[in-house]
Amino acid sequence: MTQVYFLYVIGCIISLLLYKQNKIAAKVGFSISAIASAYAVFYFLVNLEQTVSINMFESLLYSPKLVLNPLGNFFSFVVSLVSLASSIYAIQYSGEYEKKGSLAVMAGLFNAFILSMLLLIASSDVFWFIIFWECMTVISAYLICFNDSKSSLKAIMIYLGIAHLGAMCITAAFLIMSAQTGSLEFSSYENIQLSPVMASIVFLLAFIGFGSKAGMFPMHVWLPKAHPAAPTNVSALMSGVMIKVALFGIIKFCLWLPVMEWWGLLIIIVGALSALLGVLYALVQHDYKALLAYHSVENIGIILLGLGTGVYGIAANMPTLAAIGFLAGLYHILNHATFKGLLFLGAGSVLYTTHTKEMDNLGGLARKMPLTAFAFLIGSLAITAIPPLNGFVSEWVTYQGMFQGALSEYASSRVVFCIAIVALALTGALAVMCFVKAYSVIFGGTPRDKKIFENAREVPVTMVIGMFVLVAGCIAFGLGANIVVKDIMLVVSSFSGDYEAVNGTVINSPMGSTVSPLLIAAVLVITVLIPVVILKLAKANRTKPRQTDPWACGFKYDSRMQMTASPFTGDLRRLLNWLYRSETKVKNQGYFAPVVYETHAKDIWWNLLYEPVIKLTVNTAKVVSKMQNGNVNMYSLYILIALCLFVGISYLL
């Protein structure tokens, strides 16, 4: 356990020591990160069932005690897996930023970012949890800075603002619990006694605090700004695992507190809204990295559907429902980390070779980047829950849990579960539509910009290897679902009731239904092979097919005749314009030149919820700034008044 953490420390230190050797520092730093992550994947998987605790730096005034139980081992494994792929990918990809900043600092911060997430998961008290939480936030903000631009600086400010608002809520929740138990140690929270009102206040503070980092609705606005602005290897970590660490916090609080049924229903409602709104906004994006960021909101919603079902099962004393709900949530956490990390790495490869994030400028890249196109295709199939890949199994388990919850004896619970089932079904259909658009516009068809197409090429080998590590994960976690479910159930059974979810290679549900990913894969393979065999037996015509330009109604075919990202979702934008508030700009380039239409959707929640707060803060700052008059005596008076105020508050409490 300590070896894993110290490997990342070594990677960070060596990277910084090689500060003057920029390229060498990047290769060495990211290589050490890859080695550390590979070892971490093996260690956390082998020790998944174990509970281990260690005391570090006991000479410190407040030395950290690290504790890893099965739940912590699972999340540490997820972090390590995506870190492995991102580290390998970054060995050559980081060269893209050689002129923008120090690659030694980038590699050092990257190692520190992974380490902060792992230490956060292993923290056993409030003090070190908050320290590592803030380290994770600040380091990720510095990593976004490597894309130094106006958009990235704005994204950082929005990200830090929402992150610190969330940290304030989390700290308040911890302090209330510590005041009740008289200890900052998490072990004292396990049998905490709180009134229903106080427990609900703590839950809401934790849910808002961790949910803001997870990107759940309506605190999702930082994701589509920060993720596209960050370097690709950082985007993969932020979207793939950092937001999952926030979900780890929500689970911890729900296991400590005396949960109530309405908590689970609230999580399900927020999950359904996040899933549906996330995919709706993803559909109308032109920037493919922003599209993937909105899909993170969607998948966080799907995960919350599973976790909410589990929380409701615990509160309603339904151990089978609790087990299947947490199984669905944890399985989709693993799956989303895998396929979303893969998709961000694939998107980064496209950006690396084309230097544009606008889908409408691309097309036909599958011919120039076949390996990247294949990796992106696997990620697209996985995220849209196409069998037998991993996304299909976790969403199937989520459906089974919600169907079971819909059989609840209370009408309110049945209504919530039924609406959530409908929302998940709509989300799945819209996700397919979105990735058909994304893949076909980027990789299919003919080039829309010939200069970009001619300069496009397959990415360097380490970037390909990084992507294919996660391709293997998408396939393995789908075909080997019985093994994955068995391992996750070891984690779930450590805090919930036992439930036999696996029978051989078949996954069971509480509804009595079963699914076998291996059988589905066999059927699909046979279905593909049947036409080939028939053609072979029939000795079909082997003459070379004639190739010609597409039929274009008598006109010469032009790449502008292809459908782009905008018209693909035109009807949807018109139907839901109240949600998108689309702005259409028409550029008339002259009588003989084509007219250019640009349509961009706005996130209306930004205008409704965030702009009023920002304006209030700015106006308040202008008033308060008058206190900054340069008079030292006045500053001393301010300090004295603040100290008296704090003493008075402590006396009253």
Side-chain angles (χ1 to χ4, degrees), residues 320-389:
T320 300
L321 181 61
I324 201 72
F326 282 113
L327 169 62
L330 293 180
Y331 201 160
H332 205 71
I333 284 172
L334 172 63
N335 289 343
H336 178 249
T338 308
F339 57 63
K340 183 50 66 68
L342 170 59
L343 287 167
F344 264 111
L345 295 184
S349 296
V350 173
L351 180 60
Y352 179 87
T353 193
T354 64
H355 303 288
T356 179
K357 291 186 284 187
E358 288 292 322
M359 285 187 284
D360 289 347
N361 296 333
L362 304 174
L365 289 181
R367 283 175 279 169
K368 287 294 190 78
M369 307 173 68
L371 297 177
T372 299
F374 176 76
F376 199 91
L377 176 62
I378 294 297
S380 301
L381 294 173
I383 197 173
T384 51
I386 303 299
L389 298 176

Side-chain angles (χ1 to χ4, degrees), residues 240-252:
V241 291
M242 187 187 75
I243 60 178
K244 310 302 186 308
V245 173
L247 296 174
F248 171 77
I250 294 175
I251 295 173
K252 293 281 280 186

Side-chain angles (χ1 to χ4, degrees), residues 81-116:
L81 178 63
V82 180
S83 300
L84 171 61
S86 300
S87 300
I88 297 172
Y89 184 91
I91 292 172
Q92 289 178 277
Y93 168 79
S94 57
E96 187 82 350
Y97 295 88
E98 184 179 1
K99 296 180 180 179
K100 295 184 179 181
S102 170
L103 299 184
V105 173
M106 186 184 197
L109 289 175
F110 191 81
N111 278 275
F113 184 36
I114 301 169
L115 178 63
S116 66

Side-chain angles (χ1 to χ4, degrees), residues 16-217:
L16 296 177
L17 289 175
L18 294 171
Y19 182 81
K20 293 184 178 180
Q21 305 293 328
N22 218 16
K23 292 183 179 180
I24 296 175
K27 288 181 169 56
V28 172
F30 288 115
S31 296
I32 294 175
S33 174
I35 293 169
S37 299
Y39 177 67
V41 168
F42 172 77
Y43 175 85
F44 292 122
L45 185 60
V46 170
N47 296 282
L48 188 64
E49 296 182 71
Q50 306 299 319
T51 298
V52 182
S53 64
I54 57 170
N55 291 309
M56 300 182 68
F57 308 113
E58 296 185 14
S59 59
L60 291 178
L61 179 63
Y62 199 76
S63 61
K65 179 182 179 183
L66 304 179
V67 178
L68 276 179
N69 55 19
L71 183 65
N73 284 322
F74 171 79
F75 274 91
S76 298
F77 169 77
V78 174
V79 171
S80 304
L81 178 63
V82 180
S83 300
L84 171 61
S86 300
S87 300
I88 297 172
Y89 184 91
I91 292 172
Q92 289 178 277
Y93 168 79
S94 57
E96 187 82 350
Y97 295 88
E98 184 179 1
K99 296 180 180 179
K100 295 184 179 181
S102 170
L103 299 184
V105 173
M106 186 184 197
L109 289 175
F110 191 81
N111 278 275
F113 184 36
I114 301 169
L115 178 63
S116 66
M117 290 188 283
L118 292 175
L119 290 175
L120 170 66
I121 293 168
S123 300
S124 64
D125 60 75
V126 175
F127 178 80
W128 287 107
F129 187 97
I130 296 298
I131 291 293
F132 294 134
W133 180 269
E134 288 300 305
C135 287
M136 177 182 72
T137 300
V138 173
I139 292 170
S140 58
Y142 277 120
L143 285 168
I144 297 172
C145 282
F146 276 87
N147 269 334
D148 189 13
S149 64
K150 290 183 179 180
S151 61
S152 65
L153 293 175
K154 181 180 178 181
I156 291 168
M157 295 306 297
I158 295 169
Y159 168 52
L160 288 176
I162 294 177
H164 284 95
L165 176 65
M168 181 183 69
C169 294
I170 293 167
T171 305
F174 274 130
L175 292 179
I176 292 173
M177 294 181 70
S178 297
Q180 295 295 318
T181 61
S183 173
L184 293 174
E185 298 289 331
F186 291 164
S187 57
S188 66
Y189 298 166
E190 293 176 359
N191 298 310
I192 191 170
Q193 299 295 323
L194 293 173
S195 67
V197 173
M198 186 60 72
S200 297
I201 291 172
V202 172
F203 165 73
L204 289 174
L205 284 170
F207 189 54
I208 293 170
F210 289 113
S212 64
K213 178 75 77 172
M216 71 181 190
F217 173 84

